[in-house]
Amino acid sequence: MFKNVIVRVPSPSISEGLTSADLGQPVYEKALVQHENYVSALTKAGVNVTVLEPKNEFPDACFVEDVALCTSKCAIITRPGAETRRAEAELSDMHDALNKFYDHVEQIEAPGTVEAGDIMMVGDHFYIGESARTNRVGAEQMIAILEKHGLTGSIVTLKEVLHLKTGLAYLENNNLLVAGEFIDDPEFAKFNRIEVPEDEAYGANCIWVNDHVLVPEGYPTIQKKIEELGYDVILVDTSEFRKIDGGLSCLSLRF
């Protein structure tokens, strides 16, 4: 069960965020409303939400998931692979927030790069995507830190998606949403795999929060499949964040 969540309010500079989506620029005012609704959905799922101030000098800073990994034993500050995002991991308010909740806060060091959008937690094990943003050195550093705290990790090589969790979402109870390159991946054969249709691929980025599952609005097939598993689904519109390659998991740290 999660007790706490950390989020950061989007800034007006969000229109300058990194993107490969080709969906146009996000509208700041709409993104702000969607973010408020996201926080409201998290609150409904029974967590306490710490809200950090916007950082206009960092257009992607609302995607807090990439700059830290929060586990049951420690927090690990990452070193983002996108150079324009690297300084986000040094922001003092994020460090202060993590230090408030954790006795042990570790850090990824150069030349390692890690973005925690590439990391999926399944119990005490962490699948780490080796991607354009997370390199082998960073993944190995992450595993060493996890093992130091009694946790485990393994590396999954990505071929197509930006981040591991672009195509995977663990919903607890052995249920795993799988999209694209992960549908037939033997690495995940032990799970009850719920296949995401290609035309709803963006909707694969759902998040489990205390027996609720937050699902992006507009992906009815995924919504139905998750409801049939018995979860309480909360729909959240993230269309503005999709324009800059962001989804539901990117917008929060959950622990």
Side-chain angles (χ1 to χ4, degrees):
M1 300 291 278
F2 294 132
K3 293 180 181 176
N4 298 292
V5 168
I6 298 172
V7 303
R8 186 183 296 281
V9 177
S11 69
S13 67
I14 191 172
S15 61
E16 299 159 31
L18 295 171
T19 183
S20 60
D22 197 25
L23 294 170
Q25 290 186 331
V27 177
Y28 166 63
E29 291 78 12
K30 288 184 180 177
L32 210 54
V33 171
Q34 288 181 5
H35 194 266
E36 288 169 359
N37 292 337
Y38 177 74
V39 171
S40 174
L42 288 165
T43 304
K44 278 183 198 166
V47 292
N48 296 311
V49 183
T50 297
V51 181
L52 303 181
E53 293 296 309
K55 294 289 181 184
N56 204 46
E57 63 272 36
F58 298 112
D60 297 288
C62 58
F63 299 131
V64 291
E65 179 178 61
D66 287 323
V67 301
L69 178 69
C70 292
T71 79
S72 58
K73 306 287 179 66
C74 64
I76 304 160
I77 303 287
T78 69
R79 185 172 178 267
E83 286 195 30
T84 56
R85 300 197 61 193
R86 209 155 278 169
E88 288 176 39
E90 306 301 327
L91 289 169
S92 58
D93 60 346
M94 175 60 77
H95 286 233
D96 290 345
L98 292 171
N99 280 307
K100 179 177 140 190
F101 292 109
Y102 285 98
D103 293 328
H104 303 287
V105 178
E106 308 267 5
Q107 189 141 8
I108 299 297
E109 305 290 346
T113 63
V114 175
E115 294 185 7
D118 274 322
I119 304 179
M120 181 176 73
M121 179 179 74
V122 177
D124 287 337
H125 185 77
F126 294 79
Y127 291 93
I128 303 167
E130 184 180 359
S131 69
R133 301 287 183 85
T134 297
N135 64 19
R136 174 69 57 149
V137 176
E140 288 174 349
Q141 278 187 45
M142 182 64 74
I143 290 171
I145 294 169
L146 291 168
E147 288 177 347
K148 181 173 125 182
H149 292 279
L151 306 167
T152 57
S154 59
I155 297 173
V156 180
T157 303
L158 305 191
K159 300 180 185 74
E160 298 165 17
V161 291
L162 174 67
H163 284 139
L164 183 77
K165 282 189 292 201
T166 306
L168 289 173
Y170 185 58
L171 305 180
E172 302 296 316
N173 309 314
N174 205 48
N175 294 317
L176 182 69
L177 282 181
V178 292
E181 65 190 88
F182 302 112
I183 287 173
D184 298 314
D185 191 332
E187 180 86 37
F188 304 105
K190 69 179 183 183
F191 294 98
N192 175 36
R193 292 181 286 191
I194 299 98
E195 192 171 319
V196 174
E198 192 176 338
D199 62 347
E200 291 194 14
Y202 174 80
N205 186 250
C206 300
I207 51 175
W208 177 94
V209 185
N210 303 344
D211 291 327
H212 298 73
V213 177
L214 275 60
V215 176
E217 192 173 273
Y219 303 90
T221 306
I222 294 172
Q223 178 186 346
K224 184 169 183 287
K225 287 184 176 187
I226 294 172
E227 286 173 341
E228 285 172 351
L229 290 168
Y231 296 106
D232 181 355
V233 166
I234 304 175
L235 293 178
V236 184
D237 184 359
T238 53
S239 55
E240 295 305 306
F241 300 99
R242 183 184 181 186
K243 294 175 182 177
I244 49 172
D245 299 339
L248 281 167
S249 72
C250 316
L251 288 165
S252 61
L253 294 169
R254 304 164 299 282
F255 54 98

